[in-house]
Amino acid sequence: EKNMFTEAQWILLLSKASDLGSDMDKSNLLVQIAGKMPRTEKLKAVYRTGAKTIGNDPDYGRAMRAVE
């Protein structure tokens, strides 16, 4: 599958996902993004920063497991 997004677009998507209000919505979206994004160290760092905005421990754990 060909990657259709630039690294800057992935970063923007991840930052917008962390702006969602609901922890469950953030977790669900981040899990979906993790399945499709390239596994570069920079993107994983941005992903982790977004995941840290999740206050609910089970949702946070699920999001973090998706990027590992």
Side-chain angles (χ1 to χ4, degrees):
E1 180 174 313
K2 189 175 178 181
N3 184 3
M4 302 300 281
F5 298 113
T6 65
E7 186 173 76
Q9 289 171 321
W10 282 110
I11 291 170
L12 180 62
L13 178 62
L14 289 167
S15 69
K16 292 299 181 184
S18 66
D19 290 341
L20 290 174
S22 163
D23 286 344
M24 187 175 67
D25 289 341
K26 280 185 212 180
S27 178
N28 289 338
L29 184 54
L30 287 172
V31 167
Q32 292 296 313
I33 292 170
K36 298 181 186 324
M37 75 177 199
R39 300 295 180 157
T40 65
E41 287 305 314
K42 185 173 183 178
L43 286 178
K44 287 198 284 188
V46 173
Y47 180 97
R48 287 185 196 107
T49 300
K52 288 179 185 175
T53 65
I54 299 172
N56 181 318
D57 285 342
D59 289 332
Y60 172 75
R62 193 165 73 88
M64 291 304 288
R65 281 189 301 278
V67 80
E68 294 174 352

